[in-house]
Amino acid sequence: MKFNFFKASLSLALCSTLMASCVSSKKYEDLQASKEALEREKAASQQKVDELTASLRDREKRLADVERALNEQQKILDNLKNDVNAALKGFNQGDLSVNIKDGKVYVSLSDKLLFPTGSTKVNPSGKKAIDQLVEVLKKNQQVGVVVEGHTDDVSVASGMKYLTDNWDLSVLRATEITRMMTEKGLSPDRVTAAGRSFYMPVDTGRSADAKAKNRRTEIILAPDFSDVYKILGIQA
């Protein structure tokens, strides 16, 4: 009887041990599988981090390149503006202005500086101003030029030869300036003439002063920045 009890106890102990061993083995396998899954997730996450880091570096480099390009552009514009200001220093500053806008240098010359009233022929002081501006442009061969004639909204006096309205006046004044510039040695393929009549006023007021501001010739200087992009290895 005692022997049978011993055998039963031994069998029960062995079964318990085997069952515990099976449970432990199953837990180990589960833990191992969980570990492998976590390692795969970690590797995938690390890959994403690496990709995002590389993308961030590329964006930072691109941003640095763009900032350098903008700085180079601004330097070119500032130098051109300074050269123009120096060339026109001797003239009444109330009759002209030089400003940078939208990546271009705008040289605005009043009709008082350039033309007799209602005329398309440039007066002596105007010729001198244009001559000095041309000398600056000869030293800056990569700068394109647009000459825009602007008028006020007062109708052209009747009976004036070749002038029907302010379109005629603005166009003929622009072409006269353009002709002078090319005759002084500026390449014709660099210069474009345009007449704006009274449709692009700088002052919409009705006073005599406002109208005087609108009667002007704007010479728009547009540097070619393609060399800047090439130097920096940037596609424009």
Side-chain angles (χ1 to χ4, degrees), residues 3-59:
F3 178 74
N4 289 337
F5 177 76
F6 175 76
K7 285 178 64 179
S9 298
L10 181 60
S11 297
L12 182 60
L14 287 172
C15 287
S16 298
T17 301
L18 288 172
M19 288 178 65
S21 176
C22 289
V23 171
S24 298
S25 178
K26 181 68 168 62
K27 284 184 177 179
Y28 175 80
E29 290 173 357
D30 289 345
L31 288 171
Q32 186 66 28
S34 178
K35 176 188 175 185
E36 291 173 355
L38 289 171
E39 287 177 343
R40 286 194 297 271
E41 289 179 8
K42 178 184 176 183
S45 297
Q46 185 61 50
Q47 183 178 354
K48 287 184 178 179
V49 169
D50 292 342
E51 290 173 354
L52 289 171
T53 300
S55 176
L56 180 60
R57 280 198 297 265
D58 289 342
R59 291 187 181 188

Side-chain angles (χ1 to χ4, degrees), residues 13-236:
L14 287 172
C15 287
S16 298
T17 301
L18 288 172
M19 288 178 65
S21 176
C22 289
V23 171
S24 298
S25 178
K26 181 68 168 62
K27 284 184 177 179
Y28 175 80
E29 290 173 357
D30 289 345
L31 288 171
Q32 186 66 28
S34 178
K35 176 188 175 185
E36 291 173 355
L38 289 171
E39 287 177 343
R40 286 194 297 271
E41 289 179 8
K42 178 184 176 183
S45 297
Q46 185 61 50
Q47 183 178 354
K48 287 184 178 179
V49 169
D50 292 342
E51 290 173 354
L52 289 171
T53 300
S55 176
L56 180 60
R57 280 198 297 265
D58 289 342
R59 291 187 181 188
E60 288 175 343
K61 182 180 182 302
R62 175 63 179 168
L63 178 60
D65 287 343
V66 170
E67 287 178 347
R68 282 195 299 156
L70 289 174
N71 289 336
E72 287 297 320
Q73 288 183 24
Q74 191 61 47
K75 187 185 300 183
I76 291 171
L77 290 168
D78 287 340
N79 289 340
L80 181 57
K81 178 185 176 183
N82 291 338
D83 289 346
V84 172
N85 274 325
L88 301 178
K89 187 176 181 180
F91 296 91
N92 185 347
Q93 296 303 297
D95 290 331
L96 62 90
S97 65
V98 184
N99 297 294
I100 295 173
K101 183 175 67 174
D102 300 329
K104 302 177 181 67
V105 175
Y106 283 71
V107 184
S108 183
L109 306 173
S110 71
D111 72 331
K112 181 180 176 182
L113 174 63
L114 295 175
F115 300 99
T117 302
S119 174
T120 62
K121 298 302 178 183
V122 180
N123 60 37
S125 63
K127 288 181 180 179
K128 185 177 179 182
I130 297 302
D131 288 350
Q132 293 181 197
L133 181 57
V134 168
E135 291 305 310
V136 173
L137 294 173
K138 285 180 180 179
K139 298 174 184 176
N140 293 272
Q141 291 293 325
Q142 300 304 312
V143 176
V145 182
V146 177
V147 181
E148 289 187 347
H150 297 265
T151 70
D152 59 22
D153 59 357
V154 177
S155 298
V156 171
S158 60
M160 295 190 69
K161 193 175 182 180
Y162 306 120
L163 294 179
T164 302
D165 52 25
N166 281 310
W167 281 114
D168 286 341
L169 181 59
S170 63
V171 169
L172 290 174
R173 283 183 168 181
T175 53
E176 179 69 9
I177 297 294
T178 299
R179 186 178 297 108
M180 285 181 57
M181 297 177 93
T182 57
E183 287 175 352
K184 285 294 181 178
L186 209 61
S187 177
D189 61 3
R190 293 177 59 189
V191 193
T192 301
R196 303 300 187 186
S197 187
F198 55 83
Y199 293 102
M200 295 180 67
V202 292
D203 192 327
T204 57
R206 305 303 302 166
S207 67
D209 183 59
K211 292 179 184 296
K213 290 178 183 177
N214 294 329
R215 296 191 301 269
R216 69 200 189 278
T217 297
E218 287 191 344
I219 301 175
I220 305 168
L221 311 180
D224 180 0
F225 295 120
S226 58
D227 286 344
V228 173
Y229 291 117
K230 288 178 183 177
I231 292 171
L232 297 176
I234 300 173
Q235 291 185 349

